[in-house]
Amino acid sequence: MNQDELKQAVARAALDHILPHLESDMILGIGTGSTANCFIDALAEVKYRFDGAVASSEASAERLKSHGIPVYDLNTVSELRFYIDGADEANEHLHLIKGGGAALTREKIVAAVAKEFICIADESKLVDVLGAFPLPVEVIPMARSHVGRELVKLGGDPVYREGVVTDNGNIILDVWNMNILNPVEMEQAINQITGVVTNGLFAMRPANALLLGTVGGVKTLTTE
Ligand code: 5RP
């Protein structure tokens, strides 16, 4: 199986996971990226079994709408039973690095509201220590240099992601060479820097389940 087939398999497994729980008035939280796109395409097959979705990016909202799935503003929704999204890295505690697609802030907001966060990824994303993937940080544009200097003090090498403006009108710094031994502490420390909107560590609110596409089939990791 190639990486694309692993993503399709894991998207299908996520659909199987939520299918028994779908209700006609249910709204789902939907993430961003190529694995989330596989999930959106699979979800379209059962679109009459739930009400609609909240998207973590404009790109995902467009894809959902192209399938005829209604997209809601999060402020009009009181409950999200599930949030389904990919990740750039995951560890065995289901702490994640996200934001390769620059959607980390909206992803974190939707994940915060959701009762159950199901992370879907191919097996290449599972690591012992987070940080080989450069950690994305969303930053208010005028704070770029200040935040960069503060990130260097935390031991990282921030690189401005050229040409990228987030859906919120901000910029991304990708922080290299972070050996993230304590993801909760690091997530909090970076979020304390003035000018940071949020960072791509999902450790204070980890995934509830990680569905990993492997050549031997889909493996499920949970923290419970
Ligand atoms: C976007 C994300 C994605 O979930 C992450 O980049 C993984 O993407 P893909 O499924 O394409 O590998 O966090 O901001």
Side-chain angles (χ1 to χ4, degrees), residues 35-57:
T35 319
N37 282 345
C38 292
F39 179 74
I40 293 171
D41 296 346
L43 189 64
E45 293 168 22
V46 298
K47 66 181 176 188
Y48 299 111
R49 293 189 49 187
F50 63 99
D51 186 358
V54 168
S56 68
S57 63

Side-chain angles (χ1 to χ4, degrees), residues 16-28:
D16 290 344
H17 181 96
I18 67 165
L19 263 182
H21 307 281
L22 289 182
E23 289 169 9
S24 57
D25 61 350
M26 187 179 280
I27 296 172
L28 301 169

Side-chain angles (χ1 to χ4, degrees), residues 7 32-36 85-88 98-104 107 125:
K7 289 179 185 183
T32 299
S34 56
T35 319
D85 197 2
D88 298 300
K98 292 183 48 52
L104 59 157
E107 290 170 341
K125 307 286 182 70

Side-chain angles (χ1 to χ4, degrees), residues 99-150:
L104 59 157
T105 299
R106 294 191 186 194
E107 290 170 341
K108 205 175 266 197
I109 293 167
V110 182
V113 175
K115 197 165 166 213
E116 188 176 342
F117 176 6
I118 302 164
C119 184
I120 49 177
D122 68 82
E123 61 185 335
S124 69
K125 307 286 182 70
L126 186 65
V127 298
D128 290 331
V129 178
L130 297 172
F133 188 92
L135 177 65
V137 181
E138 181 163 352
V139 176
I140 302 289
M142 74 172 287
R144 186 181 82 198
S145 298
H146 165 68
V147 172
R149 288 188 292 269
E150 294 300 308

Side-chain angles (χ1 to χ4, degrees), residues 194-212:
T194 302
V196 167
V197 179
T198 198
N199 70 84
L201 275 168
F202 284 56
M204 290 189 284
R205 198 279 182 251
N208 299 101
L210 173 61
L211 306 187
L212 266 189

Side-chain angles (χ1 to χ4, degrees), residues 28-113:
L28 301 169
I30 304 294
T32 299
S34 56
T35 319
N37 282 345
C38 292
F39 179 74
I40 293 171
D41 296 346
L43 189 64
E45 293 168 22
V46 298
K47 66 181 176 188
Y48 299 111
R49 293 189 49 187
F50 63 99
D51 186 358
V54 168
S56 68
S57 63
E58 299 297 337
S60 290
E62 284 313 308
R63 197 174 186 102
L64 286 157
K65 285 184 208 161
S66 76
H67 284 300
I69 298 172
V71 175
Y72 290 90
D73 180 329
L74 182 60
N75 290 310
T76 67
V77 173
S78 57
E79 189 182 287
L80 292 175
R81 173 72 175 79
F82 294 105
Y83 177 54
I84 303 98
D85 197 2
D88 298 300
E89 276 186 354
N91 68 18
E92 62 175 359
H93 304 292
L94 311 196
H95 299 148
L96 313 171
I97 286 184
K98 292 183 48 52
L104 59 157
T105 299
R106 294 191 186 194
E107 290 170 341
K108 205 175 266 197
I109 293 167
V110 182
V113 175

